[in-house]
Amino acid sequence: MITALKKQNILHNPEEKEDSFGMFDGYDSCSEDTSSSSSSEESEEEVAPLPSSLPIIKNNGQVYTYPDGKSGMATCEMCGMVGVRDAFYSKTKRFCSVSCSRSYSSNSKKASILARLQGKPPTKKAKVLQKQPLVAKLAAYAQYQATLQNQAKTKAGNSAISVEGFSWGNYINSNSFIAAPVTCFKHAPMGTCWGDISENVRIEVPNTDCSLPTKVFWIAGIIKLAGYNALLRYEGFENDSSLDFWCNICGSDIHPVGWCAASGKPLVPPRTVQHKYTNWKAFLVKRLTGAKTLPPDFSQKVSESMQYPFKPCMRVEVVDKRHLCRTRVAVVESVIGGRLRLVYEESEDRTDDFWCHMHSPLIHHIGWSRSIGHRFKRSDITKKQDGHFDTPPHLFAKVKEVDQSGEWFKEGMKLEAIDPLNLSTICVATIRKVLADGFLMIGIDGSEAADGSDWFCYHATSPSIFPVGFCEINMIELTPPRGYTKLPFKWFDYLRETGSIAAPVKLFNKDVPNHGFRVGMKLEAVDLMEPRLICVATVTRIIHRLLRIHFDGWEEEYDQWVDCESPDLYPVGWCQLTGYQLQPPASQSSRESQSASSKQKKKAKSQQYKGHKKSIEEMASS
C-alpha cells in the first residue's frame, strides 16, 4: 500500500517531492550546452505545462491384427494408413481413428483460414501436407508412418511464426469475457505469488500520449484484469476511457509506484489531460494515498518464476507418441516457458519431436521404466552423444505415494478413463497390468490392439481415471466399447456379461482442490492432439476437479477433458509473456481475414489442407 507515511514525507519536506513521485517539474531546452535541471524560479507546487516545442528531457514397422480375425483391408483417407476395415472408425470405414476423422471433416470448413492469415492463398505444396495421428491405434506400418511424418515436418520447419491480428484485450472487451485468474495456474510464472494484484492497483507505465523524444512514464490504474493482462487507465482521465489500453502486467516496462523516483525516470502527465490540473503533485498525493501498488520486488519475482531447471541436452524418458504403451529416450531441444521440445534420441534429422510441460506426467528420469516394469524402446544409440546428460530425478513431478500391500487395483478390473487418443471422451476401460509405485496400464474396451501396443499408463492417483458410475452420476456421456450393441450402456449388465468386477471406489483420487475456475472463463490451452499448439480456449464444464476445455471457433468434438491442475493450461497472456505462439480462435481468424482481396479468398476457399488444426509454422515453408 502507498502509505500515509509517504504522504507525510511529501507534504512536510517539499524538496523531496520530486524524488518521491519522480515528477519532472521542468524541461531542459534543446540547446546542446544545456546542463540539466528544473527551473529554480518555478514554484515547487506547480507543474509547468508541456511546451509546444517538446524539448528534450535529459536524464541519466508392424501390422496389427484385429482380435476377431475379420479380414478386409482399408486405407485411411486422412493419413494414408492401411489397416483392417472392420476396425476403422465411422460407419463408412474411411478413417483409422477419431483424430483422422475429425481432422478431415474440419478441413473442409476451415481450409482457407491459415493461408489467409499469411495473406496469400495456399499453394499446391501446402495442400498435400500430411497429418499423422498421435498414435496408430488399430493398424500401422510403422516405418511408413515415420517416413510420412518426417517428410511433413521437414517441409513445415520448426520456426515459430507469430499470428498477427489477434488481441486478447479486444477479444475480452468486445465480448465481455472473463479470464481465469493467474492464481488458478500454480505451474505458471507468478502462479503462487500473484498476491493482491486486482482492480484499482496503481502502477507506473510508459506514457504513450506524449511526443517527447525520450521514454517518459506516468501512473495508471488497473480497470480490469484478464490473466497476466490488465486494462489500464492513466491517472487524470477519471471516467474517460478514450486512451485505455491493455498491457501484460509482467512486462519489463511495468513498475510499482515509486520506481521512477528511485530510478531517476521522469513522470510526465499525458498530453490529452495536461491542462486539467496546474498542481499535478497535489493531485497524485490525493489519488495515491491509501492506494495499492505492486510489491517492490515484483519484477524480480517475475524473473525468478521464469527460470526453469530443465536445460537443452538433458536426456529423459518420454512416452512414445506412436506406441503409448512404451517410453523412449529423448533429448531436450529447447525450453519455452517451462514447455519442452523433446527430440527422440534416434531422430537423425531432429524432426521427430514431442512437446510437453516439464511437469507433465508423460516424462520421467532415465531408468524410470525399468524401475516400475514399464515397456521401454531401447535405443540403437549405444552411448550418449557429446554434451548430452541425464536429467536429475528430483526435477520431475512427484507422484503421491500409495500403499499397494492391502486392497489394490488388479488386472481385469473395470473403470472409466479419459481416452488419451480422443480427449473429448470418457470410455469404458480395463486395468491390463499393475506396475510398481502405483502405476497402471489401462486399455480402452473394444478398441485395443491385439498386442496391447495402445495401452497407456496412468498413476493410481491420476485425475484421468474414475470409478464405475462416475459419468452417470455426473451426467457425462460415457463412451461404450466399440461394437457393443446393448444400448443404452448399463454397467451392471456389462460387468455380468464380461465376468468382471469394478475397481473399488475407495482406491480412486477424491481430492478436489479449490482451483478457482468457473464456467465461461478464458485461458490458453494446449491442444493435446497436436501438443505443440496452444490455443485460445474456454472452460465450458466443471465436474469436481475435471474441466471441459473448448477451443474457441472449433466444434465441440475438439473439446478436451483436462484436470484443473494440468500443466497444459495457462493464463491469458502466457504466450505473450514467454514468447510462445498462440493459435487464435478459428472464427476470429476468419473475420479478420476479410480484408484480404476477394480473389485471394476465392482461391483460398478452393483449397484444402490435410491436417488437424495446422499451425502457421507448419505451413511456413509451403
Side-chain angles (χ1 to χ4, degrees):
M1 178 174 288
I2 303 172
T3 63
L5 180 60
K6 181 175 286 188
K7 175 183 178 183
Q8 182 179 2
N9 288 340
I10 296 168
L11 294 178
H12 292 280
N13 190 353
E15 294 181 358
E16 292 183 3
K17 286 182 181 179
E18 179 177 335
D19 291 335
S20 298
F21 286 109
M23 289 293 296
F24 208 87
D25 288 331
Y27 301 96
D28 293 332
S29 69
C30 294
S31 87
E32 295 180 358
D33 59 347
T34 301
S35 52
S36 65
S37 67
S38 303
S39 170
S40 60
E41 297 179 0
E42 189 170 326
S43 168
E44 293 285 350
E45 295 295 325
E46 299 293 327
V47 179
L50 287 173
S52 57
S53 58
L54 295 176
I56 297 174
I57 300 177
K58 294 185 177 180
N59 64 175
N60 304 325
Q62 179 180 9
V63 181
Y64 299 108
T65 57
Y66 196 57
D68 64 5
K70 290 183 180 178
S71 60
M73 305 300 287
T75 301
C76 178
E77 293 185 18
M78 184 68 227
C79 67
M81 192 179 304
V82 179
V84 179
R85 178 179 298 279
D86 290 326
F88 267 39
Y89 180 74
S90 81
K91 293 180 181 179
T92 57
K93 308 299 182 185
R94 297 166 59 196
F95 308 104
C96 67
S97 66
V98 174
S99 175
C100 281
S101 175
R102 70 187 195 179
S103 297
Y104 188 92
S105 63
S106 174
N107 286 337
S108 61
K109 301 175 185 177
K110 303 177 178 66
S112 64
I113 291 173
L114 295 177
R116 292 205 306 259
L117 278 174
Q118 292 179 303
K120 59 184 180 182
T123 63
K124 292 182 179 179
K125 277 188 178 180
K127 89 173 184 181
V128 299
L129 199 62
Q130 292 291 331
K131 161 69 174 68
Q132 292 301 317
L134 182 63
V135 67
K137 190 171 183 181
L138 303 168
Y141 292 106
Q143 188 59 45
Y144 177 58
Q145 268 190 299
T147 301
L148 286 179
Q149 183 159 352
N150 287 341
Q151 288 175 349
K153 289 188 176 180
T154 300
K155 188 189 306 178
N158 294 311
S159 60
I161 298 177
S162 61
V163 179
E164 300 294 338
F166 176 74
S167 164
W168 260 122
N170 293 338
Y171 192 56
I172 294 285
N173 266 0
S174 60
N175 299 280
S176 300
F177 290 141
I178 298 175
V182 173
T183 51
C184 291
F185 310 87
K186 305 303 181 187
H187 59 281
M190 302 299 291
T192 58
C193 52
W194 190 245
D196 296 327
I197 299 175
S198 59
E199 294 179 6
N200 297 319
V201 164
R202 307 303 207 287
I203 54 181
E204 293 180 354
V205 296
N207 178 3
T208 58
D209 185 26
C210 181
S211 300
L212 296 175
T214 185
K215 181 185 289 187
V216 295
F217 292 79
W218 190 241
I219 295 171
I222 297 177
I223 302 299
K224 184 175 183 178
L225 270 178
Y228 295 117
N229 294 346
L231 180 63
L232 301 178
R233 182 173 300 170
Y234 289 122
E235 286 295 342
F237 277 78
E238 299 172 348
N239 296 323
D240 181 0
S241 62
S242 61
L243 285 186
D244 288 0
F245 61 100
W246 286 88
C247 75
N248 196 303
I249 290 293
C250 296
S252 58
D253 273 339
I254 309 301
H255 307 283
V257 171
W259 177 85
C260 282
S263 306
K265 303 292 184 181
L267 275 176
V268 177
R271 181 173 48 186
T272 303
V273 295
Q274 66 178 12
H275 64 280
K276 291 182 64 175
Y277 302 96
T278 57
N279 191 337
W280 279 102
K281 285 189 175 180
F283 169 79
L284 288 181
V285 168
K286 182 178 179 180
R287 290 286 294 169
L288 299 179
T289 298
K292 292 182 179 180
T293 188
L294 301 177
D297 60 346
F298 184 76
S299 60
Q300 180 182 347
K301 286 184 177 180
V302 171
S303 177
E304 291 173 353
S305 67
M306 294 181 67
Q307 300 300 313
Y308 307 104
F310 281 78
K311 307 296 180 186
C313 297
M314 284 185 171
R315 299 170 77 240
V316 301
E317 287 185 11
V318 64
V319 65
D320 186 338
K321 64 182 180 181
R322 295 186 188 84
H323 301 276
L324 292 185
C325 67
R326 68 188 185 189
T327 58
R328 295 171 63 183
V329 173
V331 179
V332 177
E333 177 76 11
S334 60
V335 184
I336 303 178
R339 300 203 80 222
L340 313 177
R341 178 180 181 253
L342 303 172
V343 176
Y344 290 113
E345 196 171 48
E346 294 172 292
S347 176
E348 294 182 0
D349 59 1
R350 309 194 70 76
T351 60
D352 191 7
D353 62 358
F354 185 80
W355 282 90
C356 66
H357 192 271
M358 63 183 184
H359 294 154
S360 169
L362 300 177
I363 59 171
H364 309 276
H365 62 84
I366 299 295
W368 173 84
S369 297
R370 175 181 293 181
S371 69
I372 69 161
H374 194 283
R375 288 192 198 178
F376 177 75
K377 182 181 185 295
R378 293 187 176 277
S379 173
D380 294 335
I381 299 175
T382 54
K383 78 175 186 178
K384 298 178 195 175
Q385 298 182 26
D386 292 341
H388 293 178
F389 58 100
D390 295 350
T391 306
H394 72 271
L395 297 185
F396 295 88
K398 301 294 188 295
V399 294
K400 185 178 179 180
E401 293 186 6
V402 294
D403 181 11
Q404 296 183 227
S405 60
E407 186 177 11
W408 192 243
F409 292 101
K410 293 182 174 58
E411 291 182 19
M413 283 183 172
K414 300 292 184 181
L415 69 164
E416 298 175 4
I418 297 175
D419 184 352
L421 304 180
N422 183 8
L423 295 159
S424 67
T425 63
I426 299 179
C427 304
V428 174
T430 304
I431 297 173
R432 293 305 183 188
K433 190 175 182 181
V434 179
L435 309 178
D437 296 342
F439 290 95
L440 309 168
M441 296 303 296
I442 308 285
I444 299 298
D445 284 22
S447 57
E448 297 175 66
D451 60 356
S453 58
D454 57 355
W455 296 350
F456 47 92
C457 185
Y458 279 145
H459 192 264
T461 60
S462 169
S464 297
I465 59 174
F466 317 95
V468 163
F470 174 84
C471 284
E472 182 178 0
I473 292 172
N474 294 287
M475 293 181 288
I476 300 173
E477 182 179 356
L478 176 67
T479 302
R482 180 177 295 175
Y484 189 74
T485 57
K486 294 184 179 180
L487 303 177
F489 179 85
K490 299 293 182 183
W491 262 115
F492 179 81
D493 295 338
Y494 186 70
L495 291 173
R496 184 184 58 196
E497 292 166 7
T498 57
S500 307
I501 61 172
V505 175
K506 65 181 181 181
L507 298 181
F508 292 85
N509 181 10
K510 302 179 188 65
D511 295 337
V512 181
N514 184 19
H515 48 69
F517 286 103
R518 299 291 181 269
V519 171
M521 284 183 170
K522 297 293 180 182
L523 69 163
E524 298 176 3
V526 175
D527 177 356
L528 293 169
M529 302 306 289
E530 294 281 358
R532 63 174 163 179
L533 303 184
I534 296 183
C535 310
V536 171
T538 307
V539 178
T540 57
R541 260 196 101 180
I542 301 176
I543 307 295
H544 306 306
R545 62 181 301 145
L546 197 61
L547 309 180
R548 180 82 170 180
I549 301 299
H550 173 74
F551 296 110
D552 290 16
W554 296 87
E555 291 85 356
E556 291 183 2
E557 60 182 317
Y558 290 87
D559 290 1
Q560 297 177 169
W561 286 109
V562 180
D563 182 59
C564 65
E565 294 182 341
S566 168
D568 295 307
L569 303 178
Y570 304 99
V572 165
W574 181 88
C575 282
Q576 179 189 9
L577 177 64
T578 60
Y580 204 95
Q581 177 183 336
L582 176 67
Q583 301 294 316
S587 56
Q588 178 78 0
S589 303
S590 181
R591 287 195 301 269
E592 291 176 353
S593 65
Q594 295 303 311
S595 60
S597 69
S598 58
K599 185 179 294 186
Q600 285 181 324
K601 287 190 289 185
K602 185 175 181 180
K603 289 182 179 179
K605 287 179 180 178
S606 67
Q607 304 285 348
Q608 286 193 9
Y609 290 116
K610 298 295 184 181
H612 165 48
K613 289 204 292 193
K614 289 295 182 184
S615 66
I616 296 297
E617 66 181 29
E618 290 179 287
M619 289 181 284
S621 60
S622 298

